[in-house]
Amino acid sequence: MKVSQVSPDESGIVRWPGTLGARSSVVTIGVFDGMHRGHQALLRRVVELAAKNQDRPMALLFDPSPKLVHSYADSHDMTEPPLDLIRHDPDQIMPLEERLRLMSQLRLDQVVVVRYTLAFAAKSYRFFLKQLTEQLAMRTLVLGRDAQMGAGRVGDIKAIGDLADTGLFNLEVVDDQGPGDCTLPDADGLERRRVRAWSSSHLRQLILDGDVDAALDILGRPHMVQGTVVHGEQRGRRLGFPTANLAPDSQGMMPADGVYAGWLVDLGLPTDPMATPEGREGRLAQGSPWRMPAAISIGTKETFLAPGQQMPRILEANAVRPDWVDLYGHRVRVEFLSRLRGQKRYAGEEPLKRQLALDADRTLELTKAAGRVFSVN
Ligand SMILES: Cc1cc2nc3c(=O)[nH]c(=O)nc-3n(C[C@H](O)[C@H](O)[C@H](O)COP(=O)(O)O)c2cc1C
Ligand SMILES: Nc1ncnc2c1ncn2[C@@H]1O[C@H](COP(=O)(O)OP(=O)(O)OP(=O)(O)O)[C@@H](O)[C@H]1O
């Protein structure tokens, strides 16, 4: 799969690389945060339609997300979000790199990462779609029913359908996937809004609530957080439950405080010659020695907090295995299979150790029962 990055100029015009229009294409457009089962179905349809006419299956991926750009602009005098916020979008379920990895498993031929800016957003949907037909040789456009694009978001399915009917391109609308709609609390926690059950918005809420079991059902694989292992207080090894502590700049949405069963995958040192995409796939595979069942804790290690003491939230994972593994400095991926319990302040090390032993046993049971590796294939 080829990946191209394009940035619009100050007037919002994108200079599309000439190679993108060399062959007619089937295109879809979105953010694809989470790459959940709705996204997967839509992308599979793109690949299927392209195969019929030997077209190129292509996705346009907006980054940063339109939601981040518009919500920042609304509260900051219509300015663009700063680079630091774009890099650490607090609403992001998964990093761009992981979305691309999953897209390539679905056999897309080309992804164009489009830098989403206010000037780009101000272009009309007619202008934008005409560009896609001219510059990407778009023969067919595949969208979900809720599509809204272009200035004022007036390019909905009806308007895009009317444009398609002029003979410019074919429009394929994919039915809503999943069990229907659900309601989410709004930012103030009071008003409720209806969203598709299989949507990035619902997923975010579930992860923030710690309901990783429901998230897994929508994703078709476990939610994950990836990061670098740093030193903790070296207490874990003494307790008999060594933990890999993730640095605070980990990628992937952090679930609510609590204890979870899942896996820790050792992706190695960044300098490791195997730190290639192929090497990484080998490490992630089922049965690989780098994939270990893990009891995962997210919290402030309350048992060891002095009264009034504040500690940052830490994600740490205890690889459930008889020997200790040196993971310092390694990149690791933590995958969440199931929530076990909430965090608790224990009356000392002994009761905590008894609970950690139970968490480890339960983790082994659950990961063994899950048994298979999850992927979009
Ligand atoms: C599976 C698991 C569950 C945990 N649950 C709790 C808990 O309920 N309360 C708590 O204070 N700490 C909990 N912890 C955190 C431990 O206190 C922490 O791992 C230990 O203090 C080692 O810290 P260190 O890595 O800084 O050495 C848990 C850790 C793991 C791995
Ligand atoms: N459950 C679903 N069924 C069918 N199509 C879907 C589903 N979820 C998303 N899509 C489609 O996938 C494309 C990309 O979706 P997008 O990245 O906007 O995410 P989303 O899951 O709809 O998230 P959000 O909650 O932010 O609206 C869109 O065309 C959208 O309509």
Side-chain angles (χ1 to χ4, degrees):
M1 185 181 83
K2 291 172 255 353
V3 179
S4 308
Q5 311 248 1
V6 298
S7 287
D9 66 16
E10 279 175 12
S11 61
I13 312 261
V14 174
R15 221 171 278 284
W16 305 93
T19 49
L20 293 180
R23 220 173 85 204
S24 59
S25 59
V26 177
V27 177
T28 190
I29 304 167
V31 180
F32 303 104
D33 193 11
M35 280 290 288
H36 56 67
R37 289 162 74 187
H39 296 146
Q40 293 167 33
L42 184 95
L43 293 166
R44 280 204 181 91
R45 187 77 187 122
V46 170
V47 172
E48 192 180 280
L49 286 173
K52 279 192 186 154
N53 299 309
Q54 269 94 54
D55 289 341
R56 284 181 92 181
M58 211 185 265
L60 259 56
L61 194 157
F62 291 147
D63 182 60
S65 81
K67 185 167 168 268
L68 177 75
V69 172
H70 292 297
S71 63
Y72 186 87
D74 288 347
S75 53
H76 293 82
D77 221 5
M78 296 315 282
T79 54
E80 304 276 352
L83 214 59
D84 197 44
L85 183 61
I86 291 177
R87 286 208 188 105
H88 301 107
D89 177 356
D91 272 347
Q92 195 173 81
I93 298 168
M94 67 163 47
L96 175 66
E97 186 198 21
E98 183 64 11
R99 277 176 256 173
L100 295 174
R101 176 179 164 266
L102 294 170
M103 282 180 166
S104 80
Q105 288 186 6
L106 288 174
R107 312 252 178 279
L108 281 171
D109 187 52
Q110 171 79 54
V111 178
V112 188
V113 180
V114 181
R115 181 167 179 132
Y116 190 88
T117 64
L118 291 170
F120 174 77
K123 294 287 166 208
S124 76
Y125 73 93
R126 286 168 171 275
F127 173 81
F128 174 58
L129 294 177
K130 204 152 172 287
Q131 284 255 298
L132 300 190
T133 59
E134 288 166 2
Q135 310 288 329
L136 308 186
M138 178 176 80
R139 190 206 297 258
T140 306
L141 175 63
V142 182
L143 292 174
R145 297 201 166 275
D146 61 342
Q148 282 185 317
M149 59 175 77
R153 297 171 65 83
V154 291
D156 58 10
I157 285 295
K158 164 85 179 65
I160 297 170
D162 289 346
L163 190 62
D165 287 345
T166 64
L168 211 53
F169 54 88
N170 304 310
L171 174 64
E172 167 89 7
V173 181
V174 171
D175 286 339
D176 278 5
Q177 307 288 307
D181 288 353
C182 61
T183 45
L184 295 183
D186 250 347
D188 56 13
L190 293 173
E191 270 187 64
R192 304 178 81 79
R193 64 197 166 103
R194 286 198 78 69
V195 299
R196 267 191 303 233
W198 286 6
S199 64
S200 306
S201 307
H202 187 211
L203 262 175
R204 280 185 198 106
Q205 187 65 46
L206 291 171
I207 296 165
L208 290 176
D209 287 347
D211 193 349
V212 299
D213 306 67
L216 181 142
D217 191 39
I218 297 173
L219 290 166
R221 49 167 208 285
H223 173 59
M224 67 102 199
V225 172
Q226 213 161 275
T228 304
V229 177
V230 293
H231 285 273
E233 285 154 60
Q234 316 280 324
R235 194 191 301 121
R237 238 189 293 176
R238 183 168 49 76
L239 294 176
F241 297 91
T243 58
N245 290 244
L246 255 60
D249 65 348
S250 57
Q251 295 173 302
M253 184 166 266
M254 193 69 88
D257 281 7
V259 178
Y260 303 88
W263 292 270
L264 173 89
V265 186
D266 174 14
L267 300 176
L269 287 167
T271 51
D272 189 325
M274 284 303 282
T276 58
E278 298 73 37
R280 187 177 53 181
E281 291 309 316
R283 286 177 179 246
L284 290 169
Q286 183 179 28
S288 111
W290 292 280
R291 171 178 283 281
M292 305 167 249
I296 307 154
S297 164
I298 301 177
T300 52
K301 310 184 192 191
E302 294 168 44
T303 304
F304 303 96
L305 279 185
Q309 189 186 4
Q310 301 277 321
M311 283 290 275
R313 292 176 75 209
I314 302 266
L315 187 162
E316 50 180 328
N318 165 236
V320 186
R321 51 185 285 154
D323 52 338
W324 178 75
V325 268
D326 182 1
L327 294 171
Y328 292 125
H330 289 218
R331 295 282 300 163
V332 295
R333 173 191 298 234
V334 175
E335 296 179 352
F336 297 87
L337 174 65
S338 186
R339 183 175 171 96
L340 297 180
R341 62 180 177 90
Q343 285 286 335
K344 201 176 147 190
R345 184 184 183 95
Y346 287 91
E349 289 190 0
E350 284 311 314
L352 173 65
K353 276 165 66 177
R354 281 197 292 276
Q355 182 58 52
L356 293 181
L358 294 175
D359 295 336
D361 287 349
R362 187 78 186 118
T363 295
L364 285 181
E365 272 169 34
L366 289 170
T367 52
K368 197 165 167 217
R372 65 192 181 92
V373 83
F374 300 85
S375 80
V376 292
N377 285 324

